[in-house]
Amino acid sequence: MSDIIQLLPDHVANQIAAGEVVQRPASVVKELLENAIDANATSIKLLIKDAGKALIQVIDNGKGMSETDARFCFERHATSKIKTAEDLFNLQTKGFRGEALASIAAIAHVELKTKQENQELGTHIKIEGSKIISQELVSTSKGTSIAVKNLFYNIPARRNFLKSNTVETRHIIDEFQRVALVHPAIEFSMYHNENEVYRLNDSNLRKRIVAVLGKKTNEKLVPIDETTDVLTLTGFVSKPEFAKKKRGEQFFFVNNRFIKSAYLHHAVTSAFEGLLATGYHPSYFLYLTVPTNTIDINIHPTKTEIKFDNEKTLYAIIRSTIKHSLGQYNVAPVLDFNRDATMDTPYGFKDKTVYKEPVISIDRSFNPFENESSKSTRFSYKKEKSQQWESLYTDISIPKINTRQQLFTNDSITAKTHQVHRKYIVSTIKSGVIFIHQNLAHQRILYEEYLENSTVKEAMSQQLLFPLEINFSKDDIKLIQEIQYDLESTGFLFDKIKGEMIVVKGVPTTITESKITVILEQLLDDIKNEIPDTSFSQLDIVAKSLAKSMAIKTGTQLSTEEQEDILERLFACKEPNHSPFGKPTFISMELNEIDKKFGL
Ligand code: ADP
Ligand code: MG
């Protein structure tokens, strides 16, 4: 028999490697930024178009490449960073496998311009799908520019797999931030579709953190600083009173590399023990330096996990260092978890004078269940059926089996209800009893209301007496701009969304003023984390997130009237059976099932 084994052609091997290295535009961003840093750049510019799907370009002023190296850098395992296997155990640079550029060039249109200090002219190379298209001399400044266009152009399945621009941009910003946060002395800028997203001057760590995450971060930071034989730990944690309901700003860097470690995360949070109300998370920016031979560097290039030789020691030191710093900064005694949040002055509001005639005053203690007049509008079940609205449902595959008519004896629900354990509403139905989960049911109700408001009806909005200014980081502002339309269709009204601030002048009638900030933060967090990732549109995410935040919580006492209202509205829903996140909203028990239990 003839031999059948063949070596894979290079471009095929490269494509396979690319699958590992390049998952999405953000992976390219990471690789290119890291290469620029390894090249000792002091100024790095990132240009993105269409969330990186059309263009990712990194321009640096680093050491550049010779003509030969410029050609060679696209070869697999071409790296200037390790020479022997031994080097692997002493890695100081970011890249080392020599796979990134070869992988990227295999699945995109890449253009490289590079020049070294001593060269008069630089090298300009175009390469597409691993094939060199052209190579010329070019007049360019010292350093390297790599433009990656049409990512995955030759792997349509991959390209189609990419998420929405919002999500992909979020991933890119994450990578950008992670790199920018470890190199405060390097100047970074980022542009998306020609708009400046970041301009970070060279500075110190604290200023860099503030520049990346927004001005309001500054007052929150408690410095951490410890040097022992096994590690150096520097950075900042947030003061406990600034802890967030979301996990957002948590950064751990080991030897200048962003990592995720549930174990070390636990070390940090345990240092906050007793200082945080349940459900609140501290922010942290921690920089750990350990001898390179005590960590496992043989990690996958795109993975952020890491293995330490002496995890337990690190845990103990991290925990006690943070505890100590928190104590030193005397942040513990001022805490009062039970204070009334509605009494707090909103951000940026303290020093404001009234600059506008109030248009409509609102009831600050608005409670839909107490207010008869609002009830008449909110509690109408008339629904103009609409194809458009219908089509908004992702889970149309779930059969709608429980209509009001099927469950209840007559058209209107007259059955008595009871609330049990401030959690379930129990009611009699034709065939037995049902238990309705008050929180999940209300989520469904609100979710459908938001969707309906935004497609069929004008959303109901209540004007704020005084427009509310809220500060956000620049990239949060960008996100808000992107979902502005969806937010407005649920009843939000904005005066301004710019720089690091938004001005809210109206909110959905279901939201109280004191909750606005928390709800928006939660919403942004949900979008960033893309929960639920089954969502097909931003509007859907917005509706889901708002429904989740606004729904009556478990533990809330409900009057009979309120219970009946939930029942009524739930079964006026199109999909009463499930919460927007797919959990059952109620369970029913047939009489004969109950009978059986009695042996009848
Ligand atoms: P690695 O970073 O793992 O070595 P890459 O494929 O990312 O592999 O890069 C290959 C080589 O190309 C690098 O080792 C480096 O010598 C060179 N290179 C890549 N990007 C730059 C850059 N921005 N400036 C100078 N040299 C670069
Ligand atoms: Mg590299």
Side-chain angles (χ1 to χ4, degrees):
M1 237 176 92
S2 59
D3 300 333
I4 53 169
I5 296 178
Q6 291 185 345
L7 274 178
L8 286 172
D10 261 357
H11 71 276
V12 179
N14 285 342
Q15 271 202 16
I16 295 169
E20 272 188 41
V21 180
V22 187
Q23 263 112 37
R24 54 181 4 137
S27 335
V28 175
V29 168
K30 173 173 187 276
E31 295 295 339
L32 297 185
L33 290 178
E34 290 188 347
N35 279 348
I37 286 162
D38 283 347
N40 299 326
T42 56
S43 174
I44 301 173
K45 195 165 158 183
L46 169 66
L47 309 174
I48 299 293
K49 285 205 175 120
D50 289 345
K53 294 170 186 172
L55 171 78
I56 300 158
Q57 182 171 17
V58 170
I59 304 167
D60 70 52
N61 65 353
K63 65 183 177 203
M65 285 178 260
S66 70
E67 207 178 326
T68 320
D69 282 354
R71 181 110 191 189
F72 201 47
C73 71
F74 295 106
E75 297 290 326
R76 266 185 98 201
H77 307 305
T79 177
S80 54
K81 299 169 195 174
I82 56 166
K83 302 228 153 48
T84 67
E86 200 47 34
D87 289 347
L88 269 178
F89 298 94
N90 259 312
L91 269 178
Q92 303 295 343
T93 58
K94 309 240 173 211
F96 57 90
R97 295 169 34 137
E99 253 175 341
L101 291 183
S103 300
I104 293 165
I107 50 163
H109 297 166
V110 177
E111 204 170 322
L112 163 74
K113 283 184 193 166
T114 187
K115 189 173 87 80
Q116 292 179 309
E117 181 105 72
N118 57 2
Q119 290 177 309
E120 192 134 314
L121 287 174
T123 312
H124 182 187
I125 290 178
K126 284 187 189 167
I127 177 165
E128 295 181 358
S130 300
K131 263 211 339 260
I132 303 252
I133 303 291
S134 69
Q135 174 165 0
E136 292 160 357
L137 290 175
V138 68
S139 153
T140 178
S141 46
K142 179 205 158 205
T144 303
S145 155
I146 299 186
V148 177
K149 293 178 187 159
N150 312 321
L151 191 67
F152 297 130
Y153 78 99
N154 51 358
I155 317 181
R158 275 282 182 145
R159 202 171 164 89
N160 295 336
F161 187 70
L162 292 176
K163 297 273 167 69
S164 69
N165 279 6
T166 314
V167 173
E168 294 302 342
T169 306
R170 181 66 233 162
H171 283 288
I172 289 173
I173 288 176
D174 279 347
E175 292 298 350
F176 179 87
Q177 289 187 340
R178 289 166 187 177
V179 174
L181 284 173
V182 242
H183 299 283
I186 299 178
E187 192 179 281
F188 286 93
S189 57
M190 172 175 172
Y191 295 81
H192 190 192
N193 295 334
E194 265 128 49
N195 298 316
E196 180 182 297
V197 183
Y198 282 107
R199 172 182 294 277
L200 307 171
N201 298 326
D202 71 326
S203 62
N204 60 29
L205 187 55
R206 187 177 189 123
K207 284 190 187 145
R208 173 56 56 90
I209 291 172
V210 171
V212 171
L213 290 149
K215 284 189 212 100
K216 62 173 178 165
T217 314
N218 198 23
E219 53 173 331
K220 302 181 189 175
L221 302 176
V222 177
I224 304 292
D225 212 338
E226 175 69 297
T227 307
T228 73
D229 290 349
V230 288
L231 68 73
T232 314
L233 178 66
T234 58
F236 299 89
V237 297
S238 64
K239 294 176 187 166
E241 68 263 38
F242 290 107
K244 297 187 162 190
K245 271 258 185 205
K246 53 175 187 174
R247 252 174 173 246
E249 297 160 359
Q250 300 181 332
F251 296 87
F252 229 115
F253 303 95
V254 174
N255 294 359
N256 287 346
R257 208 185 268 273
F258 174 83
I259 61 126
K260 282 182 186 152
S261 159
Y263 188 70
L264 297 187
H265 169 75
H266 193 267
V268 181
T269 49
S270 76
F272 279 83
E273 221 166 63
L275 295 176
L276 298 181
T278 35
Y280 280 80
H281 305 280
S283 302
Y284 57 79
F285 310 86
L286 292 170
Y287 300 75
L288 200 66
T289 313
V290 295
T292 43
N293 58 6
T294 64
I295 49 172
D296 185 357
I297 43 77
N298 207 5
I299 39 164
H300 192 279
T302 60
K303 291 242 169 82
T304 44
E305 282 93 29
I306 196 166
K307 264 189 79 172
F308 300 95
D309 282 356
N310 43 3
E311 254 186 0
K312 286 217 172 93
T313 319
L314 299 184
Y315 185 102
I317 298 174
I318 291 170
R319 186 178 165 197
S320 68
T321 305
I322 295 175
K323 255 186 171 270
H324 181 75
S325 305
L326 287 173
Q328 235 183 7
Y329 276 79
N330 222 354
V331 284
V334 298
L335 296 178
D336 177 9
F337 296 129
N338 297 322
R339 72 165 184 230
D340 183 0
T342 54
M343 302 297 283
D344 287 356
T345 316
Y347 290 123
F349 188 63
K350 283 193 220 78
D351 313 314
K352 276 264 136 14
T353 47
V354 182
Y355 57 90
K356 252 190 197 168
E357 281 280 310
V359 193
I360 304 170
S361 73
I362 57 145
D363 175 6
R364 275 157 202 271
S365 59
F366 176 81
N367 177 342
F369 290 118
E370 282 167 8
N371 192 324
E372 277 304 322
S373 66
S374 68
K375 213 168 175 180
S376 54
T377 43
R378 275 168 43 80
F379 290 16
S380 64
Y381 313 119
K382 261 195 278 102
K383 298 214 159 147
E384 293 117 288
K385 306 270 185 258
S386 142
Q387 273 314 109
Q388 201 188 355
W389 185 34
E390 196 91 58
S391 69
L392 277 167
Y393 282 87
T394 30
D395 43 2
I396 24 175
S397 56
I398 300 169
K400 276 169 48 187
I401 40 160
N402 288 294
T403 63
R404 188 153 50 147
Q405 288 86 339
Q406 281 170 303
L407 284 171
F408 298 92
T409 342
N410 32 37
D411 216 26
S412 69
I413 297 167
T414 49
K416 277 254 165 300
T417 59
H418 300 276
Q419 189 189 25
V420 293
H421 292 277
R422 296 187 178 174
K423 192 181 202 176
Y424 297 107
I425 301 166
V426 188
S427 175
T428 350
I429 51 170
K430 260 196 272 187
S431 58
V433 286
I434 54 168
F435 292 83
I436 297 168
H437 192 283
Q438 64 188 45
N439 172 258
L440 296 171
H442 200 215
Q443 284 188 23
R444 163 55 64 182
I445 294 165
L446 293 177
Y447 172 63
E448 293 204 6
E449 274 183 12
Y450 289 133
L451 287 185
E452 191 184 20
N453 285 346
S454 54
T455 54
V456 185
K457 304 196 295 199
E458 268 286 279
M460 263 180 285
S461 181
Q462 49 176 338
Q463 299 248 346
L464 300 180
L465 187 53
F466 303 109
L468 176 64
E469 289 179 9
I470 313 174
N471 293 310
F472 285 99
S473 67
K474 271 195 191 158
D475 55 295
D476 280 351
I477 293 288
K478 276 208 63 179
L479 256 187
I480 295 174
Q481 279 166 344
E482 285 183 43
I483 57 169
Q484 178 176 2
Y485 180 80
D486 294 332
L487 281 172
E488 286 178 345
S489 63
T490 65
F492 277 96
L493 287 172
F494 299 99
D495 229 6
K496 201 172 110 186
I497 305 179
K498 230 176 132 196
E500 295 193 3
M501 191 179 70
I502 66 170
V503 181
V504 183
K505 61 175 185 186
V507 292
T509 47
T510 41
I511 292 179
T512 53
E513 191 175 352
S514 61
K515 295 251 174 67
I516 298 173
T517 311
V518 178
I519 285 166
L520 285 175
E521 282 185 349
Q522 179 66 50
L523 175 67
L524 292 175
D525 208 38
D526 284 347
I527 291 174
K528 286 178 209 165
N529 295 322
E530 207 203 346
I531 61 141
D533 50 16
T534 48
S535 280
F536 61 104
S537 75
Q538 267 159 14
L539 171 62
D540 191 58
I541 302 178
V542 170
K544 278 180 174 154
S545 175
L546 288 179
K548 191 183 64 184
S549 308
M550 300 313 309
I552 293 167
K553 301 284 176 289
T554 296
T556 310
Q557 179 97 51
L558 301 175
S559 69
T560 314
E561 198 186 326
E562 290 161 0
Q563 297 164 27
E564 281 165 9
D565 176 64
I566 288 185
L567 209 73
E568 235 347 307
R569 287 159 76 201
L570 176 65
F571 290 104
C573 282
K574 300 200 155 219
E575 299 283 350
N577 301 36
H578 296 269
S579 84
F581 301 91
K583 291 201 183 119
T585 49
F586 66 88
I587 53 157
S588 58
M589 216 187 258
E590 305 274 304
L591 256 187
N592 54 20
E593 280 177 69
I594 302 173
D595 289 345
K596 256 192 221 144
K597 292 207 189 278
F598 286 98
L600 300 173

